[in-house]
Amino acid sequence: MASTLPDHPHSPQDPGTAPPLQHPQHERAGRIEVHGIDRIPESERRGRARELFSVWAAANVNYLNLVVGGALVLSGLSPWQAFAVVVAGNLFWLGTGLLAVSGPAAGAPSEVITRTMYGIRGNRVNNAVTGWMISVCYFALNLAAAAVAAFSLAEEAGITPDTPIKVAIVIAITVVTLTISVYGHAMIVRLYLPITLVLAAAFAVVGYEILRHADFGWSQPRPLTGAGLWAAVLAGTTLIASGPLSYTTSADFSRYLPATTSPRAVLGWTALGGFLPSAAVGGLGVLAATAVDMTDPQAALQKILPGWFNPVFLLSLVVGTIAVNALTAYSAGLALQAVGIRIRRTLSVLVDGTVAVALTLYALLVSNFLDTVSNVLQLTVVLLGPSTAIYAADILLRRNRYDGRALTDESPGSPFWYRAGFNPAGALALAAGVATSALCVDTLYTGPVAALTGVDLALPVGMLVAAAVYTPLMRRTSPRRSA
């Protein structure tokens, strides 16, 4: 039995009930999505893989990529080295695209598909940490960033952002974000193309001004060499890769596509939607660092942007963050259901938003809590890298063949019950990947391997070890063994 039911009052399989809605997806954009983590029937699936491009592009034409590009130069890399790192780090969007192909195959979200890797009970633990907790923390961090931009926008309008105004702004941004998430998949597909176009237009102006002021002959006063260079390259690649790695839930947004949809198309459009804007905006950040001091990007960019454009730029930061957080809240809502809590998706999204607002207001008005959370999230690559590798390995091992109906069965008779509800292959692979990654990390703390080598190898080592452990163990594991 699934841990949640569709939000419509009757199941289509019940005798005497109305048949499922047959409206085309674009006609359902004004309706609240009725499905949670239950399987999407083939009769309700439609659309084309190319729709995924704007879903991911809208979430990645953003200020953060600009800031990260500038940070690479501040770390000591030359512009050309930084460009190479931007490209290399964003190649991890291919992994996001690969995970997305499982959505149409199963008709289920990532939060359910991962039952094949961790077992029914093991997957609840996985969703509690990787799915829900990390997502809510990211939601709070992004919300705080959007709120700061909105506070500046209020000042531009002559409004002093005192405490009541700040609270109202945070709540207003959250309401818009959660509205998109509650209406769900069809609303996201409908809105994100125009959002992509609007954000692209705004960043085109930013890009034009950056290109006008960039110093194409600029070089580092003290170029990095040897171990120092490799340390900066690997750290920068990991920083950028943490973006696509945070979207281990990409099947959430592809599961409404027909099962016959080409996996190559799903992979390609998802990867392009994330890669192209992330690499382009990150590249602009690299060039901006040759013209202005990117230690304070917002203030620095105001010096080269036209005065009339500043409110537009600030508004684009808010809109871009809303686009990112709507996806985050949507997946976090599904993760809360997949933990085993019997709650409607619409309500679970509101719970996620409420927790994120509480964290954000506490951070902005009371303490530096989000600074602590931000530092902790720098370590998420230690967990997200291995979990992504395990998911990708599972797709390749099964040749992307997933039984969506079997995945909804959470009983001890489920083919994915394994041993007492846990899949030893997934648990051991994740533990091995996280442990070895932690030995190699050099972020908040320096692991022993990082101390010896002088470079942060957490991402490649963690992913390789997780995949290397999972693959042979899973080949020997019978999915029907139960205890």
Side-chain angles (χ1 to χ4, degrees):
M1 182 167 129
S3 63
T4 185
L5 299 173
D7 282 358
H8 44 68
H10 301 290
S11 172
Q13 287 74 29
D14 292 340
T17 60
L21 295 173
Q22 298 295 325
H23 301 291
Q25 184 166 309
H26 68 274
E27 293 180 359
R28 298 203 313 269
R31 299 172 182 266
I32 292 177
E33 183 181 351
V34 298
H35 290 287
I37 61 171
D38 53 304
R39 176 179 172 271
I40 309 300
E42 191 65 36
S43 62
E44 296 184 40
R45 298 206 228 168
R46 50 190 51 83
R48 297 182 178 180
R50 66 189 182 196
E51 295 171 347
L52 296 171
F53 178 85
S54 59
V55 170
W56 296 105
N60 288 285
V61 183
N62 60 46
Y63 180 60
L64 178 60
N65 286 320
L66 193 74
V67 172
V68 169
L72 295 177
V73 177
L74 292 175
S75 72
L77 296 176
S78 72
W80 288 112
Q81 290 166 343
F83 284 134
V85 168
V86 166
V87 172
N90 280 304
L91 285 176
F92 280 83
W93 281 105
L94 290 169
T96 308
L98 175 59
L99 303 194
V101 306
S102 61
S110 295
E111 292 81 2
V112 171
I113 296 170
T114 46
R115 288 172 180 170
T116 65
M117 297 148 229
Y118 304 107
I120 302 300
R121 288 175 173 169
N123 193 51
R124 291 174 183 172
V125 178
N126 172 61
N127 276 297
V129 179
T130 306
W132 187 80
M133 186 176 70
I134 291 179
S135 292
V136 169
C137 289
Y138 270 116
F139 190 119
L141 287 170
N142 290 330
L143 180 57
V148 171
F151 297 161
S152 298
L153 192 59
E155 291 178 347
E156 292 272 344
I159 301 173
T160 301
D162 53 18
T163 297
I165 295 296
K166 288 182 177 180
V167 172
I169 287 173
V170 169
I171 292 176
I173 294 172
T174 305
V175 167
V176 175
T177 303
L178 296 184
T179 298
I180 297 173
S181 298
V182 165
Y183 273 84
H185 179 269
M187 179 65 78
I188 289 170
V189 172
R190 186 75 178 272
L191 281 181
Y192 276 40
L193 177 57
I195 289 177
T196 298
L197 296 175
V198 168
L199 292 176
F203 274 85
V205 175
V206 176
Y208 173 75
E209 293 298 332
I210 288 175
L211 289 172
R212 284 185 59 228
H213 292 83
D215 181 359
F216 291 93
W218 187 90
S219 61
Q220 289 284 359
R222 295 181 179 178
L224 295 175
T225 59
L229 173 60
W230 280 109
V233 166
L234 289 170
T237 302
T238 300
L239 177 62
I240 293 174
S242 66
L245 287 175
S246 68
Y247 291 110
T248 58
T249 56
S250 53
D252 295 1
F253 307 100
S254 62
R255 75 191 197 279
Y256 275 90
L257 295 174
T260 55
T261 304
S262 166
R264 289 185 180 181
V266 173
L267 189 160
W269 286 113
T270 299
L272 280 175
F275 176 86
L276 289 181
S278 298
V281 177
L284 288 176
V286 172
L287 289 176
T290 69
V292 296
D293 181 5
M294 289 292 281
T295 54
D296 185 0
Q298 188 171 317
L301 290 172
Q302 286 179 358
K303 297 177 181 179
I304 63 174
L305 294 175
W308 63 267
F309 183 70
N310 192 49
V312 178
F313 180 58
L314 291 171
L315 183 60
S316 71
L317 303 188
V318 176
V319 172
T321 305
I322 288 174
V324 173
N325 264 356
L327 299 186
T328 302
Y330 182 85
S331 291
L334 295 175
L336 192 59
Q337 289 183 315
V339 168
I341 300 174
R342 293 186 63 83
I343 184 174
R344 299 291 185 189
R345 185 194 63 82
T346 48
L347 182 57
S348 65
V349 168
L350 297 178
V351 170
D352 301 332
T354 301
V355 174
V357 167
L359 293 178
T360 303
L361 290 177
Y362 182 77
L364 293 175
L365 305 178
V366 180
S367 76
N368 63 347
F369 175 79
L370 281 185
D371 288 341
T372 302
V373 173
S374 179
N375 289 333
V376 171
L377 284 178
Q378 292 179 46
L379 293 173
T380 57
V381 70
V382 172
L383 174 62
L384 294 177
S387 63
T388 298
I390 291 170
Y391 197 160
D394 193 78
I395 291 173
L396 297 176
L397 281 172
R398 297 176 189 274
R399 298 182 181 180
N400 197 36
R401 294 170 183 167
Y402 292 96
D403 186 339
R405 289 184 177 86
L407 282 166
T408 64
D409 182 3
E410 294 186 67
S411 71
S414 166
F416 305 108
W417 189 256
Y418 299 105
R419 297 180 181 176
F422 293 85
N423 182 0
L428 289 173
L430 186 61
V434 170
T436 52
S437 184
L439 292 175
C440 301
V441 75
D442 187 10
T443 307
L444 288 180
Y445 75 95
T446 301
V449 175
L452 288 173
T453 62
V455 294
D456 186 337
L457 296 169
L459 179 58
V461 170
M463 295 185 74
L464 287 172
V465 168
V469 172
Y470 183 77
T471 300
L473 288 178
M474 197 61 199
R475 280 176 174 162
R476 296 195 296 266
T477 299
S478 170
R480 296 190 177 277
R481 288 186 65 181
S482 61

